[in-house]
Amino acid sequence: MKTRSLRSASVVTILFWLLLLACARMRYTPPVHEPIIRVGILEQQESIHFEPQGPFQIQAQDSKENLKLNEPGLWTVRAVEPRPGQKHYLILLFESASEQKSRDQLERFKNRGVQAELKPFGEVLRAGTQALVDRRYYRVVLARQFDTMVDAELYLKTASNLANGKIIEEYDVQPGGVLVFRSPTGQEYRIHDRLRLLGSRITLKNVNVGSGYHWAHQESRSYAGELELAVDKTGKNNVVNVVSLEAYLNGVVAGEMAPSFPPEALKAQAIVSRTLFLNNFYRFHRGADFDVCDEVHCQVYVGVTKQNESTSAAVNATRGQVLTYGDILCTASYSAVCGGHTEDASEVWEGDGQPYLQGEFDATEAGISSQAFDLKQEENVRLWIQSNPKVYCNLETAGQPSFAGYAAKYFRWQTRARRVDLEKWITEKTGTDIGTLIDIVPVRRGSSGRLSEIRLVGSRDSVTVTRELNSRRTLSETALYSACFVIDKEELANGVADSYVFTGAGWGHGVGMCQIGASVRALRGQNVGQILAAYYRGTRIKKMY
């Protein structure tokens, strides 16, 4: 939304503009002392349905369209008269987070006769005047704009000195349209392009939950702060929740852990979630209208739907605290149930991983080590999965605490899949029709026994799948609980199985903190510092703001 001068107005209106300026990461006076963030809730919706929990306001870009409303019941919003916006195309030559590196590259291009210029972009997340995270990048682009993608592609193909160039787009006028609000009694209001709902908690209907996983469904969720509605470039509705970082964390801790978890485990989750947000800020949704999504891809965020005293107390008690390694923010990954052994980050994601994210047995007593029992070996993995080890996420040996009962089925699990279904999923998810499935061959496992590479052998073709999540998704309609599994064939005929049995351990990628393990550690008297030190070796807790 475009900023404009503040007039003498109500306190609510002034706060709205302060929040707006904070979201744009702009300097302003007086400062808002909370980091203000944007959480993507809904995207590309034909219509949006919501219920206000009290009187609310619509704050529009054009103040003439501002409204104060007090009609309970179900409201509907739809986008009409879409406007595609105006954009041009650029040729990107180089990009770096270092301004000096980009300036050096700019000079090299100019010395070669290439007319180029420097274009900074990105965001700085602030708490008042303090810069918490600087995610500014510096692009070297050709000093020429193109009206169409075709023009840019043609130029790039014919310019031999721009062989590594990449085409990017830049908007001159943002897309928009008209948002039509229909009240429970049928009254309609028209607001142009973008607006904020404020003054009341809002319950959104049909929010997607767990997309791509076995628990995928839709539900109603309530939100505080402000909801920003906009017409996107496809002519549909987007919804973003604008909240303070600490308010966001209240909704994350409540979404990631049950409120009945021990307080020290909830504190660990709060610190890890705060760290993960700050470390990932402007990394995975660059160019989007929001900073993070509300799904597993970033972190589960439930608004105020499940918030309660215990989760809020954990966030408040750790306010501003993060996890660092050598004064650098950690990549504080975590998963639900490690199955008794955490995983190396380098086996799950691209890159060399981090020294504090190395897989280890999460044993409750000494005497078990990766050197003595290597889970990269196929025969050991089968023994491990069939065992009942004394590890922190084994709820049976932990005395079956009631707060974690829901997770018992994930420690050790088994599922079956028909061969014909597997063939269908393999084709859909790899793009390769292998014909009749002959075999699923484990190729490589990480330190926890999780598969990082499998070979799918068919009568017509074979395909290799790398990375643990890809393996989990390829062999299931949604995703297997984890990639730590062994494979057995059933009902063989001429060497071809009619079905496959997957027997496994854990839920999730296994990197970093095991949430159930953390809860049992807390139950046994460990404090937040001890819990985090166990899952992130060599790190320390630091107060960032």
Side-chain angles (χ1 to χ4, degrees):
M1 297 176 73
K2 296 178 180 178
T3 58
R4 65 190 80 230
S5 60
L6 293 173
R7 302 168 186 170
S8 56
S10 67
V11 172
V12 171
T13 303
I14 292 172
L15 285 175
F16 164 77
W17 285 112
L18 291 178
L19 285 171
L20 175 57
L21 289 168
C23 291
R25 321 287 185 231
M26 294 170 61
R27 295 184 180 275
Y28 49 89
T29 303
V32 174
H33 294 287
E34 290 271 354
I36 304 298
I37 71 169
R38 301 166 62 81
V39 187
I41 308 298
L42 295 172
E43 288 187 274
Q44 297 188 354
Q45 300 294 302
E46 295 288 348
S47 59
I48 294 167
H49 306 280
F50 73 90
E51 288 186 10
Q53 298 179 20
F56 68 100
Q57 300 172 51
I58 293 177
Q59 188 83 44
Q61 285 185 283
D62 185 344
S63 61
K64 294 178 181 178
E65 296 179 337
N66 289 351
L67 295 168
K68 292 183 178 180
L69 301 164
N70 187 15
E71 187 174 336
L74 186 64
W75 288 70
T76 300
V77 186
R78 56 190 175 87
V80 300
E81 302 173 23
R83 187 185 68 251
Q86 298 176 9
K87 62 184 176 182
H88 60 263
Y89 298 87
L90 300 169
I91 296 178
L92 174 65
L93 305 176
F94 181 80
E95 178 182 303
S96 173
S98 167
E99 182 178 3
Q100 188 57 53
K101 285 183 179 179
S102 292
R103 289 193 178 279
D104 291 344
Q105 285 293 331
L106 176 63
E107 288 306 310
R108 291 189 184 100
F109 278 109
K110 287 183 175 179
N111 291 337
R112 289 161 46 192
V114 177
Q115 295 299 310
E117 61 185 356
L118 195 68
K119 272 185 169 287
F121 78 107
E123 302 275 8
V124 179
L125 182 67
R126 299 182 185 277
T129 58
Q130 179 189 1
L132 299 179
V133 184
D134 189 339
R135 287 286 185 268
R136 285 174 293 188
Y137 298 84
Y138 301 87
R139 286 174 165 172
V140 178
V141 300
L142 188 69
R144 176 172 178 172
Q145 296 182 4
F146 301 89
D147 293 332
T148 68
M149 175 70 81
V150 173
D151 290 342
E153 288 175 342
L154 182 61
Y155 188 93
L156 191 56
K157 287 179 180 178
T158 57
S160 58
N161 58 348
L162 303 179
N164 296 319
K166 176 185 175 182
I167 298 171
I168 59 174
E169 63 181 34
E170 191 172 77
Y171 275 93
D172 301 305
V173 179
Q174 290 294 320
V178 177
L179 292 159
V180 179
F181 281 68
R182 185 176 179 84
S183 76
T185 57
Q187 180 70 40
E188 289 196 347
Y189 306 91
R190 293 168 60 89
I191 314 294
H192 285 81
D193 299 335
R194 185 180 296 261
L195 58 90
R196 293 274 179 88
L197 299 180
L198 60 154
S200 169
R201 290 186 173 184
I202 300 291
T203 299
L204 284 177
K205 306 294 183 179
N206 305 321
V207 176
N208 293 318
V209 177
S211 300
Y213 292 91
H214 64 276
W215 67 92
H217 65 284
Q218 290 187 330
E219 66 183 32
S220 297
R221 285 181 174 174
S222 297
Y223 300 91
E226 298 175 357
L227 287 181
E228 184 173 296
L229 281 63
V231 182
D232 67 15
K233 61 183 179 182
T234 69
K236 296 182 180 179
N237 295 284
N238 288 352
V239 180
V240 172
N241 191 195
V242 182
V243 290
S244 72
L245 176 53
E246 297 300 304
Y248 163 74
L249 291 169
N250 280 325
V252 170
V253 175
E256 289 285 356
M257 276 190 173
S260 53
F261 273 38
E264 294 301 301
L266 293 172
K267 290 178 187 176
Q269 183 66 58
I271 293 173
V272 166
S273 290
R274 185 181 293 107
T275 306
L276 190 62
F277 169 83
L278 291 169
N279 187 69
N280 290 346
F281 174 73
Y282 209 74
R283 289 188 192 273
F284 300 122
H285 291 289
R286 292 197 332 185
D289 205 22
F290 50 86
D291 301 321
V292 290
C293 65
D294 65 344
E295 285 274 27
V296 175
H297 174 264
C298 291
Q299 297 185 83
V300 174
Y301 170 67
V302 297
V304 297
T305 307
K306 298 179 182 179
Q307 287 183 31
N308 55 76
E309 291 183 5
S310 58
T311 55
S312 297
V315 174
N316 292 337
T318 63
R319 175 182 169 81
Q321 293 180 16
V322 296
L323 204 60
T324 62
Y325 185 81
D327 286 331
I328 297 174
L329 277 171
C330 290
T331 303
S333 304
Y334 58 89
S335 66
V337 182
C338 72
H341 196 299
T342 57
E343 185 54 87
D344 300 345
S346 60
E347 292 289 353
V348 175
W349 300 294
E350 299 287 345
D352 297 329
Q354 292 79 24
Y356 52 86
L357 292 178
Q358 303 296 316
E360 297 183 18
F361 283 104
D362 197 21
T364 58
E365 54 189 43
I368 185 169
S369 71
S370 298
Q371 290 75 25
F373 195 63
D374 184 2
L375 292 180
K376 293 183 178 182
Q377 303 302 314
E378 201 64 31
E379 62 274 15
N380 288 345
V381 176
R382 186 171 291 272
L383 289 172
W384 172 247
I385 291 173
Q386 291 172 346
S387 70
N388 189 37
K390 292 182 178 180
V391 292
Y392 281 102
C393 59
N394 185 345
L395 296 175
E396 181 180 332
T397 61
Q400 303 287 8
S402 59
F403 61 78
Y406 71 93
K409 66 179 182 180
Y410 301 117
F411 180 66
R412 295 292 185 268
W413 51 267
Q414 187 175 85
T415 187
R416 285 172 170 77
R418 298 188 307 156
R419 173 179 50 79
V420 291
D421 290 330
L422 286 165
E423 291 163 354
K424 173 174 175 286
W425 300 331
I426 291 167
T427 301
E428 289 175 349
K429 297 178 183 184
T430 70
T432 301
D433 180 0
I434 65 169
T436 301
L437 178 62
I438 305 299
D439 205 0
I440 303 171
V441 182
V443 177
R444 175 184 171 85
R445 291 184 183 272
S447 63
S448 71
R450 284 170 169 79
L451 283 161
S452 55
E453 185 175 334
I454 57 174
R455 182 77 173 163
L456 307 173
V457 181
S459 60
R460 184 177 299 119
D461 202 351
S462 297
V463 64
T464 297
V465 179
T466 59
R467 299 299 168 188
E468 65 89 32
L469 183 55
N470 294 334
S471 297
R472 292 163 58 193
R473 285 179 167 166
T474 302
L475 300 177
S476 170
E477 185 174 12
T478 53
L480 296 174
Y481 292 156
S482 90
C484 183
F485 59 82
V486 293
I487 307 149
D488 294 292
K489 299 177 182 179
E490 287 187 330
E491 301 178 42
L492 283 165
N494 298 320
V496 177
D498 187 60
S499 61
Y500 284 75
V501 180
F502 303 101
T503 307
W507 177 18
H509 51 66
V511 179
M513 185 177 74
C514 171
Q515 290 172 304
I516 295 300
S519 71
V520 175
R521 285 176 178 274
L523 187 66
R524 295 188 175 188
Q526 292 189 22
N527 62 35
V528 60
Q530 292 170 315
I531 293 169
L532 294 179
Y535 290 112
Y536 308 94
R537 299 289 184 183
T539 64
R540 68 183 184 91
I541 299 171
K542 175 183 177 182
K543 188 168 180 62
M544 194 172 184
Y545 59 88

